[in-house]
Amino acid sequence: MKTLIGGAIAVLLGVIGMAVWFTEFLQIIKGCVPVVLLVAGGFALYLGFDELKDSWKNDEGVDASADASVD
């Protein structure tokens, strides 16, 4: 019950804070979006490059095993 009351108070204060400081909230969002895009884009590039390296290793392994079976 205490958690429910605390959550309701937090939501009420959040709504009041958003109403009073809405322009400041938007400024924070505007500042955070480019940073989030940079971090997420870098992470996606890293994962894509790692996946590409794995596929290259798998392709080399398939070619090597195919050549060995032919001889």
Side-chain angles (χ1 to χ4, degrees), residues 6-39:
I9 292 171
V11 167
L12 181 64
L13 289 174
V15 169
I16 291 171
M18 287 286 292
V20 172
W21 296 300
F22 188 68
T23 56
E24 288 83 358
F25 171 73
L26 289 179
Q27 286 180 338
I28 290 172
I29 296 298
K30 287 179 193 176
C32 289
V33 167
V35 173
V36 169
L37 287 173
L38 283 171
V39 170

